[in-house]
Amino acid sequence: TGNLWGYGKEDGPSVWHKNYPVAQGDRQSPIDIVPHQASHDPSLGPVVLNYDQCTSIKIANNGHSVVVEFDDSDDRSVIRGGPLDNPYRLKQFHFHWGVKGCHGSEHTVAGNSYASELHLVHWNAVKYTTFGEAATAPDGLAVLGIFLQHHGRFVKAVFFFFFFFLLQGSAADFKGFNPKCLLPSSLHYWTYLGSLTTPPLHESVIWIVVKDPITVSEKQVTCLAGSSEPALGRLLPASGLYLHTFLTQGLYTRNWEF
Ligand code: GRE
Ligand code: ZN
């Protein structure tokens, strides 16, 4: 059926187009971000995250990643600013990582990958009534991408998420987690119009990829070796990429104690 896909030889990114023709579209993600090819757009303001009410609900292993889901029935957790015309509601976040632990990011920067990439997925509840509807609309989703690199401190929250992935098919209550503790202190970003990076690959994502990575220890990223793989075969040249240089500070707020 059209729902079978993965990262292997038979079902990997190079054949996704057979079941999902949009894989060959002109707004597909991920891309290689070439910083000096990005245009500076002075009209872009800082992105602002309102996550203070900690609307997380549960954590689940969907077989491809660890997903933390949020209550998106109102505007308590939203992203606004930057390229966005209105607030977008936080729906879930998940991670991408690699087989060897060091090349797991989906986006690359000047050809270089990071160990892992965090995606905070938001949807446009001003224009659309459900996440599903927004996920197929050209301005339906806003995804904040955060790179994870090695050689940093051991981040207990990140270890927790990766460890959770080892529990196949599992789900658990996960209330009161504020993802702000997973962000770097500056939210300078690149933005471009792209797509979901996994099937159904809808071209519905306003990407906001944060320039500064967060650093985690090597062990916690490699503990999942072999579990997932980035769609590196699908990397496309950057187009319509914009650079933004505002500083957003004071984002470290720890709440969930691991
Ligand atoms: C994904 O499946 O990896 C994904 C989404 C939604 C937005 C971006 C993204 O499900 O990468
Ligand atoms: Zn993703």
Side-chain angles (χ1 to χ4, degrees):
T1 78
N3 293 323
L4 295 175
W5 60 272
Y7 294 95
K9 250 190 202 126
E10 314 271 288
D11 62 356
S14 63
V15 297
W16 286 353
H17 67 95
K18 291 182 186 167
N19 286 324
Y20 305 93
V22 73
Q24 293 174 325
D26 56 14
R27 166 177 171 175
Q28 286 287 295
S29 298
I31 61 168
D32 179 38
I33 295 168
V34 184
H36 73 263
Q37 286 175 1
S39 329
H40 181 248
D41 181 346
S43 72
L44 285 171
V47 294
V48 178
L49 306 177
N50 288 92
Y51 289 165
D52 292 337
Q53 304 206 40
C54 299
T55 53
S56 70
I57 299 174
K58 68 169 188 175
I59 181 167
N61 175 348
N62 69 7
H64 296 288
S65 185
V66 175
V67 182
V68 174
E69 288 169 18
F70 290 76
D71 177 357
D72 61 350
S73 60
D74 59 28
D75 277 343
R76 275 176 297 163
S77 296
V78 293
I79 185 173
R80 63 180 97 225
L84 308 175
D85 288 338
N86 49 262
Y88 282 60
R89 284 184 193 166
L90 182 60
K91 165 79 173 171
Q92 52 108 318
F93 70 76
H94 60 268
F95 294 88
H96 297 263
W97 56 83
V99 280
K100 296 255 166 50
C102 43
H103 299 290
S105 68
E106 297 217 294
H107 289 94
T108 56
V109 179
N112 298 303
S113 55
Y114 284 95
S116 173
E117 189 171 328
L118 163 65
H119 289 160
L120 292 136
V121 181
H122 310 74
W123 63 286
N124 187 343
V126 172
K127 276 182 83 169
Y128 307 104
T129 51
T130 63
F131 176 82
E133 186 191 349
T136 61
D139 58 351
L141 304 185
V143 182
L144 188 67
I146 309 286
F147 294 119
L148 279 69
Q149 74 176 2
H150 286 163
H151 311 306
R153 69 205 163 100
F154 187 86
V155 180
K156 278 186 273 182
V158 171
F159 176 79
F160 176 82
F161 295 128
F162 283 18
F163 185 80
F164 195 87
F165 188 76
L166 300 176
L167 312 172
Q168 289 292 320
S170 53
D173 278 351
F174 196 61
K175 301 223 170 76
F177 177 77
N178 189 334
K180 276 194 176 181
C181 69
L182 297 173
L183 305 176
S185 51
S186 138
L187 288 183
H188 293 184
Y189 62 84
W190 294 288
T191 183
Y192 75 99
L193 299 178
S195 73
L196 306 190
T197 61
T198 60
L201 301 168
H202 296 312
E203 296 187 329
S204 58
V205 178
I206 300 171
W207 277 100
I208 301 169
V209 179
V210 175
K211 296 168 76 177
D212 285 357
I214 60 167
T215 52
V216 301
S217 79
E218 187 154 2
K219 270 200 188 99
Q220 64 189 116
V221 174
T222 51
C223 74
L224 279 191
S227 297
S228 167
E229 237 185 307
L232 285 180
R234 303 181 61 254
L235 283 179
L236 303 169
S239 65
L241 191 65
Y242 296 96
L243 173 67
H244 167 84
T245 48
F246 271 86
L247 192 60
T248 309
Q249 288 174 331
L251 281 171
Y252 277 102
T253 58
R254 267 209 84 95
N255 54 332
W256 226 82
E257 288 302 326
F258 283 89

